[in-house]
C-alpha cells in the first residue's frame, strides 16, 4: 500500500471497532502524534498504515 491507495475509513473503522474513535480524534486535533500512534497500535493497524496517518497529520499541521 502506498499513500495513493490509502483509505482513511479503514483507520476510522478500526478505531470505532475498538471504541477508540473519540480518543483518536482528540489526538489528531491536538497533533499528539504519540497518542495517535499508540491508539492505532491498540486498534491493530499495521506499521505501514500508521506511518501514512502520521505523515498526513504532519502535512496537515494546523490545517484541519
Amino acid at each position: 500500500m502506498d499513500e495513493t491507495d490509502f483509505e482513511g475509513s479503514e483507520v476510522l473503522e478500526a478505531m470505532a471497532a475498538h471504541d477508540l474513535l473519540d480518543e483518536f480524534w482528540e489526538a489528531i486535533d491536538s497533533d499528539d502524534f504519540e497518542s495517535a500512534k499508540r491508539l492505532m497500535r491498540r486498534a491493530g493497524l499495521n506499521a505501514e498504515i500508521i506511518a501514512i496517518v502520521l505523515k498526513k497529520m504532519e502535512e496537515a499541521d494546523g490545517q484541519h
Side-chain angles (χ1 to χ4, degrees):
M1 173 187 292
D2 66 17
E3 217 170 316
T4 59
D5 297 327
F6 179 72
E7 178 59 53
S9 61
E10 179 180 347
V11 174
L12 299 180
E13 288 171 7
M15 291 294 138
H18 290 86
D19 198 29
L20 299 171
L21 195 54
D22 289 338
E23 286 179 75
F24 183 65
W25 281 126
E26 191 173 308
I28 296 289
D29 288 343
S30 63
D31 292 327
D32 186 345
F33 291 82
E34 288 304 312
S35 290
K37 185 185 341 182
R38 178 182 46 79
L39 291 165
M40 288 186 280
R41 285 184 181 152
R42 281 180 52 196
L45 295 169
N46 68 43
E48 187 176 21
I49 291 174
I50 292 171
I52 292 171
V53 171
L54 294 175
K55 182 178 179 190
K56 290 186 173 292
M57 282 177 68
E58 187 176 312
E59 289 171 352
D61 191 27
Q63 299 177 19
H64 30 125

